[in-house]
Amino acid sequence: MFRPKLPTMPQPTGTVTPPAVVEPTTITPGSAYTPPATVPAPTRPAVQLTPGTALALVGGGTAVVLVVGAVLVSLLLAVAITGASVAVCALVIRSLVNADAKRR
């Protein structure tokens, strides 16, 4: 009941024929074929890394790391504060329920 049923591979029927052989064609030298013209690649200026741009890149990377770190720390702090407040609420409710049960 719990064993999977594996399909069986069907056996080939009939004769199997090998693929047809393709014969190469000959190129005659007097044909009207002209090779396509090559288009030169557009030249782009190379990026030059000066000390000023390197300093800007390092400063930008540092700012990104600091901002992402501050966001993650604030999210972790929000989760911790929420957990602590839920725990305090649970203690208060438990003490109220226990105090009400002792009065009866």
Side-chain angles (χ1 to χ4, degrees):
M1 178 177 166
F2 293 109
R3 289 191 173 180
K5 292 186 171 119
L6 300 174
T8 58
M9 292 297 291
Q11 297 298 325
T13 57
T15 60
V16 178
T17 59
V21 178
V22 177
E23 294 292 328
T25 59
T26 59
I27 299 174
T28 57
S31 67
Y33 174 75
T34 57
T38 58
V39 178
T43 57
R44 290 185 283 172
V47 177
Q48 295 179 356
L49 193 60
T50 62
T53 56
L55 187 62
L57 286 174
V58 170
T62 303
V64 167
V65 167
L66 289 177
V67 167
V68 170
V71 168
L72 292 178
V73 167
S74 63
L75 286 174
L76 182 64
L77 188 60
V79 169
I81 290 172
T82 303
S85 65
V86 168
V88 168
C89 290
L91 288 175
V92 169
I93 291 173
R94 188 176 80 173
S95 68
L96 289 175
V97 169
N98 286 339
D100 190 35
K102 286 182 182 178
R103 284 190 207 151
R104 292 183 179 191

XYZ file of all heavy atoms in Angstrom:
724
model
N 0.818 -1.199 0.000
C 0.000 0.000 0.000
C 0.862 1.263 0.000
O 0.567 2.225 -0.689
C -0.918 -0.041 1.223
C -1.777 1.157 1.350
S -2.860 0.967 2.763
C -3.418 2.612 2.900
N 1.927 1.244 0.797
C 2.745 2.449 0.908
C 3.942 2.431 -0.027
O 4.744 3.338 0.011
C 3.237 2.615 2.350
C 2.120 2.904 3.305
C 1.708 1.960 4.224
C 1.465 4.109 3.270
C 0.682 2.223 5.095
C 0.437 4.385 4.133
C 0.043 3.433 5.056
N 4.085 1.405 -0.846
C 5.210 1.354 -1.779
C 4.820 2.057 -3.069
O 3.733 1.820 -3.595
C 5.590 -0.082 -2.062
C 6.252 -0.715 -0.865
C 6.839 -2.022 -1.247
N 7.606 -2.543 -0.119
C 8.238 -3.680 -0.152
N 8.179 -4.425 -1.228
N 8.907 -4.079 0.881
N 5.705 2.884 -3.600
C 5.359 3.569 -4.847
C 5.399 2.595 -6.013
O 6.182 1.650 -6.037
C 6.441 4.642 -4.986
C 7.594 4.082 -4.226
C 6.995 3.289 -3.085
N 4.548 2.819 -6.964
C 4.526 2.005 -8.166
C 5.381 2.702 -9.218
O 5.075 3.800 -9.658
C 3.088 1.843 -8.650
C 2.267 1.004 -7.708
C 0.904 0.742 -8.288
C 0.229 -0.276 -7.414
N -0.963 0.127 -6.799
N 6.459 2.046 -9.595
C 7.367 2.614 -10.572
C 6.930 2.201 -11.966
O 6.641 1.025 -12.198
C 8.794 2.139 -10.319
C 9.360 2.517 -8.946
C 10.711 1.869 -8.744
C 9.461 4.014 -8.822
N 6.874 3.142 -12.880
C 6.478 2.775 -14.243
C 7.596 1.993 -14.918
O 8.775 2.212 -14.670
C 6.235 4.113 -14.925
C 7.089 5.065 -14.173
C 7.102 4.568 -12.749
N 7.219 1.070 -15.756
C 8.215 0.307 -16.500
C 8.469 0.997 -17.830
O 7.573 1.581 -18.430
C 7.709 -1.121 -16.759
O 6.475 -1.029 -17.474
C 7.474 -1.858 -15.453
N 9.707 0.911 -18.261
C 10.070 1.542 -19.521
C 9.582 0.656 -20.664
O 9.854 -0.545 -20.672
C 11.588 1.716 -19.625
C 12.137 2.726 -18.636
S 11.512 4.369 -18.911
C 12.294 4.767 -20.429
N 8.852 1.198 -21.630
C 8.381 0.360 -22.736
C 9.548 -0.047 -23.623
O 10.478 0.721 -23.854
C 7.403 1.262 -23.477
C 7.834 2.640 -23.137
C 8.408 2.569 -21.745
N 9.515 -1.263 -24.101
C 10.558 -1.767 -24.993
C 10.293 -1.248 -26.403
O 9.144 -1.126 -26.813
C 10.563 -3.295 -24.972
C 10.893 -3.880 -23.609
C 12.294 -3.494 -23.143
O 13.206 -3.384 -23.951
N 12.439 -3.257 -21.854
N 11.349 -0.936 -27.154
C 11.133 -0.460 -28.518
C 10.560 -1.581 -29.382
O 10.933 -2.740 -29.243
C 12.514 -0.039 -28.987
C 13.466 -0.754 -28.102
C 12.750 -0.963 -26.791
N 9.639 -1.209 -30.236
C 9.040 -2.186 -31.136
C 9.545 -1.935 -32.542
O 9.756 -0.797 -32.952
C 7.506 -2.068 -31.122
O 7.161 -0.734 -31.489
C 6.941 -2.382 -29.751
N 9.737 -2.987 -33.288
C 10.198 -2.843 -34.661
C 11.697 -2.670 -34.728
O 12.423 -2.819 -33.748
N 12.161 -2.309 -35.878
C 13.602 -2.122 -36.065
C 13.957 -0.660 -35.857
O 13.213 0.250 -36.215
C 14.020 -2.556 -37.482
O 13.306 -1.761 -38.416
C 13.721 -4.026 -37.711
N 15.104 -0.470 -35.280
C 15.597 0.879 -35.040
C 16.526 1.244 -36.182
O 17.481 0.522 -36.470
C 16.328 0.958 -33.684
C 16.871 2.357 -33.469
C 15.413 0.544 -32.561
N 16.258 2.358 -36.868
C 17.078 2.775 -37.993
C 18.088 3.807 -37.531
O 17.767 4.700 -36.742
C 16.216 3.373 -39.117
O 15.513 4.492 -38.599
C 15.236 2.350 -39.652
N 19.327 3.717 -38.003
C 20.317 4.727 -37.622
C 19.984 6.051 -38.304
O 19.301 6.088 -39.322
C 21.643 4.148 -38.134
C 21.251 3.226 -39.225
C 19.888 2.679 -38.850
N 20.482 7.147 -37.767
C 20.204 8.450 -38.377
C 20.861 8.555 -39.755
O 21.876 7.935 -40.025
C 20.799 9.462 -37.402
C 21.798 8.693 -36.623
C 21.290 7.276 -36.556
N 20.236 9.347 -40.603
C 20.737 9.513 -41.961
C 22.013 10.337 -41.952
O 22.182 11.256 -41.154
C 19.684 10.194 -42.818
N 22.924 10.008 -42.844
C 24.190 10.731 -42.954
C 23.979 11.915 -43.892
O 23.448 11.776 -44.991
C 25.292 9.803 -43.500
C 26.597 10.557 -43.669
C 25.473 8.619 -42.576
N 24.399 13.085 -43.465
C 24.261 14.290 -44.278
C 25.559 14.499 -45.036
O 26.638 14.566 -44.438
C 23.938 15.518 -43.389
C 23.861 16.765 -44.228
C 22.667 15.278 -42.623
N 25.451 14.597 -46.317
C 26.626 14.803 -47.162
C 26.956 16.288 -47.223
O 26.072 17.118 -47.386
C 26.354 14.277 -48.579
C 26.157 12.785 -48.658
C 27.427 12.012 -48.351
O 28.524 12.531 -48.665
O 27.325 10.907 -47.808
N 28.248 16.669 -47.106
C 28.610 18.090 -47.213
C 28.480 18.573 -48.654
O 28.665 17.810 -49.601
C 30.058 18.129 -46.743
C 30.564 16.741 -46.966
C 29.383 15.820 -46.782
N 28.152 19.808 -48.822
C 28.036 20.388 -50.159
C 29.308 21.139 -50.493
O 30.018 21.628 -49.614
C 26.842 21.352 -50.237
O 27.032 22.378 -49.267
C 25.539 20.643 -49.962
N 29.582 21.248 -51.744
C 30.785 21.964 -52.177
C 30.422 23.403 -52.505
O 29.313 23.712 -52.945
C 31.402 21.288 -53.419
O 30.417 21.300 -54.447
C 31.820 19.866 -53.116
N 31.363 24.287 -52.294
C 31.158 25.712 -52.570
C 31.880 26.041 -53.870
O 33.073 25.775 -54.018
C 31.692 26.589 -51.428
C 30.958 26.269 -50.142
C 31.566 28.064 -51.783
C 31.506 26.986 -48.937
N 31.150 26.611 -54.784
C 31.764 26.998 -56.045
C 32.331 28.397 -55.904
O 31.714 29.284 -55.298
C 30.728 26.963 -57.180
O 29.651 27.823 -56.841
C 30.197 25.556 -57.395
N 33.519 28.654 -56.458
C 34.144 29.961 -56.274
C 33.447 31.093 -57.002
O 33.628 32.251 -56.657
C 35.565 29.779 -56.779
C 35.570 28.522 -57.550
C 34.389 27.705 -57.122
N 32.623 30.857 -57.970
C 32.006 31.935 -58.727
C 30.624 32.301 -58.213
O 29.851 32.936 -58.921
N 30.281 31.957 -57.013
C 28.921 32.223 -56.530
C 28.765 33.692 -56.154
O 29.742 34.427 -56.017
C 28.611 31.345 -55.329
O 29.429 31.728 -54.249
N 27.532 34.123 -55.983
C 27.231 35.530 -55.712
C 27.242 35.823 -54.214
O 26.684 36.820 -53.779
C 25.874 35.883 -56.307
N 27.852 34.995 -53.418
C 27.877 35.213 -51.968
C 28.908 36.263 -51.607
O 30.058 36.207 -52.034
C 28.210 33.904 -51.241
C 28.403 34.075 -49.758
C 27.311 34.272 -48.929
C 29.673 34.061 -49.203
C 27.484 34.422 -47.565
C 29.852 34.219 -47.854
C 28.761 34.397 -47.028
O 28.929 34.561 -45.689
N 28.484 37.250 -50.823
C 29.413 38.255 -50.324
C 29.385 38.193 -48.803
O 28.312 38.133 -48.196
C 29.015 39.668 -50.782
O 27.685 39.925 -50.334
C 29.092 39.798 -52.282
N 30.526 38.194 -48.162
C 30.536 38.113 -46.696
C 29.943 39.385 -46.096
O 30.065 40.475 -46.663
C 32.019 37.970 -46.345
C 32.751 38.489 -47.524
C 31.861 38.250 -48.716
N 29.265 39.268 -44.952
C 28.678 40.461 -44.330
C 29.767 41.410 -43.832
O 30.841 40.990 -43.421
C 27.875 39.889 -43.162
C 28.507 38.575 -42.876
C 29.025 38.057 -44.186
N 29.460 42.677 -43.910
C 30.415 43.688 -43.464
C 30.467 43.691 -41.941
O 29.445 43.595 -41.269
C 30.002 45.058 -43.977
N 31.649 43.803 -41.402
C 31.797 43.837 -39.952
C 31.599 45.259 -39.454
O 32.142 46.214 -40.009
C 33.187 43.332 -39.534
O 34.164 44.144 -40.167
C 33.384 41.881 -39.935
N 30.807 45.378 -38.422
C 30.543 46.687 -37.839
C 31.481 46.860 -36.661
O 31.515 46.022 -35.759
C 29.069 46.776 -37.372
C 28.792 48.110 -36.714
C 28.146 46.525 -38.540
N 32.264 47.924 -36.627
C 33.179 48.106 -35.491
C 32.394 48.389 -34.211
O 31.350 49.040 -34.228
C 34.038 49.309 -35.899
C 33.191 50.036 -36.899
C 32.373 49.003 -37.599
N 32.906 47.858 -33.138
C 32.258 48.056 -31.846
C 32.430 49.508 -31.418
O 33.477 50.118 -31.646
C 32.877 47.140 -30.812
N 31.383 50.078 -30.806
C 31.527 51.471 -30.358
C 32.553 51.546 -29.221
O 32.601 50.703 -28.345
C 30.122 51.830 -29.854
C 29.479 50.522 -29.547
C 30.071 49.527 -30.492
N 33.363 52.568 -29.305
C 34.404 52.725 -28.291
C 33.841 53.526 -27.120
O 33.186 54.554 -27.298
C 35.630 53.447 -28.874
O 35.202 54.709 -29.391
C 36.258 52.625 -29.990
N 34.091 53.014 -25.946
C 33.664 53.715 -24.737
C 34.898 54.166 -23.977
O 35.916 53.464 -23.978
C 32.835 52.785 -23.845
C 31.482 52.465 -24.441
C 30.663 51.661 -23.481
N 31.154 50.279 -23.502
C 30.758 49.350 -22.657
N 29.914 49.634 -21.718
N 31.232 48.125 -22.735
N 34.798 55.278 -23.300
C 35.971 55.707 -22.537
C 36.178 54.771 -21.335
O 35.231 54.279 -20.729
C 35.599 57.122 -22.073
C 34.118 57.165 -22.124
C 33.704 56.243 -23.231
N 37.421 54.527 -21.033
C 37.752 53.664 -19.904
C 37.474 54.409 -18.598
O 37.637 55.628 -18.501
C 39.219 53.259 -19.973
N 37.028 53.655 -17.593
C 36.753 54.253 -16.283
C 38.072 54.475 -15.578
O 38.873 53.551 -15.423
C 35.843 53.328 -15.452
C 35.622 53.899 -14.069
C 34.530 53.101 -16.161
N 38.312 55.713 -15.173
C 39.546 56.030 -14.481
C 39.239 56.237 -13.010
O 38.371 57.030 -12.643
C 40.171 57.287 -15.071
C 40.605 57.107 -16.519
C 41.190 58.371 -17.085
O 41.211 59.402 -16.434
N 41.674 58.292 -18.308
N 39.935 55.498 -12.182
C 39.719 55.554 -10.741
C 40.764 56.472 -10.125
O 41.917 56.109 -9.948
C 39.819 54.141 -10.152
C 39.320 53.954 -8.732
C 37.849 54.324 -8.632
C 39.511 52.516 -8.302
N 40.341 57.682 -9.818
C 41.245 58.645 -9.195
C 41.145 58.509 -7.682
O 40.213 57.879 -7.175
C 40.875 60.075 -9.624
O 39.545 60.351 -9.164
C 40.923 60.222 -11.141
N 42.059 59.079 -6.947
C 41.967 58.995 -5.482
C 40.674 59.601 -4.934
O 40.116 59.108 -3.958
C 43.190 59.777 -5.002
C 44.164 59.678 -6.125
C 43.341 59.654 -7.368
N 40.173 60.634 -5.595
C 38.926 61.247 -5.127
C 37.735 60.318 -5.308
O 36.890 60.184 -4.417
N 37.667 59.647 -6.461
C 36.542 58.729 -6.679
C 36.671 57.487 -5.804
O 35.671 56.938 -5.349
C 36.459 58.321 -8.157
O 37.703 57.748 -8.559
C 36.122 59.494 -9.037
N 37.891 57.043 -5.557
C 38.083 55.895 -4.664
C 37.621 56.246 -3.260
O 36.956 55.449 -2.586
C 39.554 55.469 -4.653
N 37.931 57.450 -2.818
C 37.501 57.890 -1.486
C 35.983 58.021 -1.427
O 35.358 57.640 -0.423
C 38.170 59.233 -1.158
C 37.976 59.773 0.263
C 38.576 58.797 1.257
C 38.613 61.137 0.404
N 35.375 58.485 -2.505
C 33.920 58.596 -2.554
C 33.269 57.216 -2.519
O 32.242 57.015 -1.852
C 33.491 59.356 -3.804
N 33.843 56.258 -3.228
C 33.304 54.902 -3.203
C 33.409 54.282 -1.820
O 32.472 53.636 -1.336
C 34.037 54.026 -4.222
C 33.694 54.258 -5.686
C 34.598 53.418 -6.570
C 32.246 53.923 -5.945
N 34.536 54.467 -1.160
C 34.712 53.935 0.196
C 33.745 54.604 1.156
O 33.112 53.948 1.990
C 36.176 54.112 0.659
C 36.320 53.801 2.141
C 37.092 53.221 -0.158
N 33.582 55.908 1.033
C 32.644 56.628 1.899
C 31.205 56.190 1.667
O 30.429 56.010 2.605
N 30.830 56.005 0.397
C 29.473 55.553 0.082
C 29.213 54.155 0.602
O 28.143 53.859 1.140
N 30.192 53.271 0.441
C 30.042 51.908 0.960
C 29.923 51.884 2.468
O 29.113 51.136 3.037
N 30.700 52.714 3.141
C 30.626 52.791 4.598
C 29.259 53.318 5.041
O 28.676 52.807 6.005
C 31.738 53.714 5.129
O 32.996 53.215 4.673
C 31.738 53.775 6.637
N 28.751 54.310 4.346
C 27.433 54.859 4.692
C 26.344 53.809 4.512
O 25.449 53.679 5.355
C 27.143 56.088 3.835
N 26.429 53.028 3.435
C 25.424 51.984 3.209
C 25.479 50.936 4.315
O 24.451 50.513 4.841
C 25.633 51.344 1.816
C 24.832 50.068 1.659
C 25.269 52.326 0.727
N 26.676 50.516 4.690
C 26.820 49.521 5.758
C 26.276 50.063 7.068
O 25.590 49.348 7.809
C 28.302 49.096 5.886
C 28.538 48.318 7.163
C 28.720 48.277 4.688
N 26.547 51.313 7.378
C 26.059 51.887 8.631
C 24.537 52.006 8.644
O 23.880 51.714 9.649
C 26.704 53.253 8.867
C 28.191 53.224 9.240
C 28.729 54.648 9.363
C 28.398 52.472 10.533
N 23.947 52.408 7.537
C 22.488 52.551 7.477
C 21.809 51.194 7.592
O 20.853 51.023 8.352
C 22.076 53.276 6.176
C 20.589 53.169 5.931
C 22.506 54.737 6.233
N 22.312 50.205 6.854
C 21.717 48.868 6.933
C 21.892 48.291 8.327
O 20.971 47.679 8.886
C 22.343 47.951 5.852
C 21.942 46.494 6.058
C 21.928 48.415 4.477
N 23.034 48.497 8.941
C 23.257 48.022 10.312
C 22.315 48.688 11.299
O 21.773 48.030 12.191
N 22.096 49.990 11.156
C 21.184 50.691 12.068
C 19.756 50.192 11.903
O 19.028 50.007 12.892
C 21.254 52.195 11.799
N 19.344 49.930 10.667
C 17.989 49.415 10.442
C 17.834 48.035 11.061
O 16.830 47.741 11.732
C 17.683 49.391 8.925
C 16.424 48.602 8.629
C 17.551 50.808 8.400
N 18.815 47.168 10.880
C 18.722 45.820 11.443
C 18.735 45.835 12.967
O 17.990 45.090 13.615
C 19.859 44.954 10.907
C 19.787 44.610 9.419
C 20.990 43.783 8.996
C 18.509 43.865 9.099
N 19.560 46.686 13.547
C 19.600 46.782 15.014
C 18.286 47.320 15.551
O 17.760 46.840 16.561
C 20.792 47.659 15.464
C 20.690 48.034 16.921
C 22.086 46.913 15.204
N 17.700 48.292 14.873
C 16.425 48.830 15.349
C 15.308 47.800 15.212
O 14.428 47.721 16.077
C 16.069 50.112 14.590
O 15.890 49.829 13.219
N 15.325 46.988 14.166
C 14.337 45.915 14.050
C 14.498 44.895 15.168
O 13.508 44.429 15.762
C 14.461 45.229 12.686
C 13.944 46.003 11.487
C 14.282 45.253 10.201
C 12.447 46.200 11.583
N 15.737 44.531 15.483
C 15.983 43.585 16.569
C 15.549 44.170 17.907
O 14.953 43.476 18.739
C 17.470 43.225 16.602
C 17.899 42.212 17.654
C 17.235 40.874 17.385
C 19.404 42.060 17.659
N 15.789 45.442 18.109
C 15.368 46.099 19.344
C 13.849 46.158 19.447
O 13.279 45.953 20.530
C 15.964 47.510 19.398
C 15.785 48.291 20.695
C 16.436 47.550 21.840
C 16.371 49.672 20.550
N 13.168 46.389 18.332
C 11.708 46.412 18.349
C 11.145 45.044 18.700
O 10.181 44.931 19.464
C 11.182 46.864 16.982
N 11.745 43.986 18.187
C 11.287 42.634 18.523
C 11.528 42.348 20.004
O 10.675 41.771 20.683
C 11.991 41.600 17.618
C 11.756 40.175 18.109
C 11.510 41.745 16.189
N 12.667 42.760 20.534
C 12.974 42.516 21.943
C 12.019 43.276 22.855
O 11.531 42.738 23.855
C 14.425 42.917 22.236
N 11.725 44.526 22.521
C 10.805 45.317 23.351
C 9.405 44.728 23.290
O 8.708 44.643 24.314
C 10.828 46.787 22.890
C 12.168 47.426 23.260
C 9.679 47.575 23.499
C 12.358 48.806 22.696
N 8.978 44.294 22.122
C 7.652 43.685 21.995
C 7.565 42.407 22.811
O 6.570 42.159 23.504
C 7.352 43.393 20.511
O 7.469 44.608 19.781
C 5.967 42.817 20.330
N 8.592 41.583 22.754
C 8.605 40.344 23.542
C 8.574 40.621 25.026
O 7.863 39.936 25.783
N 9.324 41.617 25.480
C 9.337 41.943 26.912
C 7.977 42.468 27.355
O 7.482 42.103 28.431
C 10.431 42.972 27.194
N 7.338 43.295 26.532
C 6.035 43.828 26.926
C 4.968 42.732 26.937
O 4.089 42.721 27.802
C 5.618 44.969 25.997
O 5.428 44.476 24.688
N 5.036 41.790 26.019
C 4.089 40.668 26.037
C 4.315 39.823 27.279
O 3.352 39.366 27.919
C 4.227 39.839 24.739
C 3.482 38.513 24.841
C 3.706 40.632 23.554
N 5.563 39.616 27.672
C 5.854 38.840 28.884
C 5.321 39.547 30.129
O 4.748 38.908 31.018
C 7.356 38.606 28.999
N 5.477 40.864 30.206
C 4.953 41.615 31.353
C 3.432 41.539 31.393
O 2.826 41.334 32.450
C 5.446 43.082 31.307
C 4.702 43.950 32.303
C 6.942 43.141 31.561
N 2.786 41.673 30.239
C 1.322 41.561 30.181
C 0.858 40.177 30.623
O -0.149 40.044 31.342
C 0.814 41.853 28.777
S 0.972 43.584 28.304
N 1.597 39.130 30.224
C 1.227 37.775 30.631
C 1.359 37.606 32.139
O 0.499 36.972 32.778
C 2.096 36.761 29.906
N 2.395 38.175 32.735
C 2.558 38.085 34.199
C 1.443 38.830 34.928
O 0.906 38.339 35.944
C 3.921 38.648 34.605
C 5.131 37.790 34.249
C 6.421 38.530 34.611
C 5.072 36.458 34.959
N 1.070 39.990 34.426
C 0.007 40.763 35.071
C -1.315 40.018 34.969
O -2.066 39.907 35.962
C -0.088 42.176 34.443
C -1.352 42.898 34.891
C 1.147 42.989 34.789
N -1.626 39.480 33.815
C -2.888 38.750 33.654
C -2.895 37.505 34.522
O -3.913 37.176 35.151
C -3.100 38.398 32.158
C -3.380 39.682 31.378
C -4.239 37.409 31.973
C -3.430 39.490 29.883
N -1.767 36.804 34.606
C -1.712 35.604 35.447
C -1.908 35.951 36.912
O -2.620 35.263 37.639
C -0.377 34.896 35.247
C -0.327 33.531 35.943
C 0.951 32.826 35.648
N 1.997 33.382 36.517
C 3.220 32.889 36.606
N 3.554 31.875 35.843
N 4.101 33.425 37.413
N -1.302 37.040 37.359
C -1.474 37.417 38.769
C -2.908 37.861 39.053
O -3.449 37.583 40.122
C -0.488 38.524 39.156
O -0.822 39.717 38.479
N -3.554 38.527 38.099
C -4.951 38.913 38.281
C -5.866 37.696 38.345
O -6.787 37.626 39.167
C -5.396 39.843 37.158
C -4.825 41.265 37.178
C -5.269 42.027 35.934
C -5.268 42.002 38.433
N -5.603 36.714 37.486
C -6.421 35.503 37.487
C -6.205 34.728 38.780
O -7.163 34.231 39.392
C -6.108 34.635 36.239
C -6.737 33.256 36.342
C -6.589 35.335 34.990
N -4.952 34.619 39.241
C -4.676 33.899 40.488
C -5.268 34.624 41.689
O -5.792 33.987 42.614
C -3.175 33.711 40.682
C -2.609 32.650 39.750
O -3.352 31.809 39.249
N -1.314 32.689 39.538
N -5.204 35.941 41.711
C -5.745 36.704 42.835
C -7.273 36.555 42.863
O -7.885 36.456 43.931
C -5.359 38.179 42.732
N -7.902 36.531 41.706
C -9.363 36.371 41.630
C -9.748 34.959 42.083
O -10.776 34.777 42.735
C -9.829 36.621 40.202
C -11.331 36.709 40.101
O -11.935 37.246 41.069
O -11.885 36.269 39.099
N -8.948 33.971 41.775
C -9.260 32.592 42.168
C -9.073 32.407 43.668
O -9.790 31.618 44.294
C -8.381 31.619 41.404
N -8.145 33.113 44.322
C -7.920 32.970 45.769
C -9.028 33.644 46.566
O -9.274 33.262 47.702
C -6.566 33.594 46.141
C -5.392 32.750 45.698
C -4.096 33.382 46.139
C -2.927 32.585 45.659
N -1.635 33.164 46.023
N -9.691 34.632 46.011
C -10.750 35.342 46.746
C -12.003 34.497 46.864
O -12.817 34.731 47.730
C -11.081 36.651 46.037
C -10.050 37.703 46.266
C -10.547 39.051 45.756
N -9.386 39.866 45.396
C -9.372 40.777 44.494
N -10.461 41.048 43.794
N -8.289 41.464 44.242
N -12.212 33.567 45.973
C -13.448 32.784 45.988
C -13.427 31.707 46.980
O -12.801 31.111 47.578
C -13.722 32.193 44.605
C -14.054 33.289 43.625
C -14.397 32.697 42.316
N -14.731 33.782 41.386
C -15.266 33.602 40.230
N -15.566 32.400 39.821
N -15.531 34.591 39.449
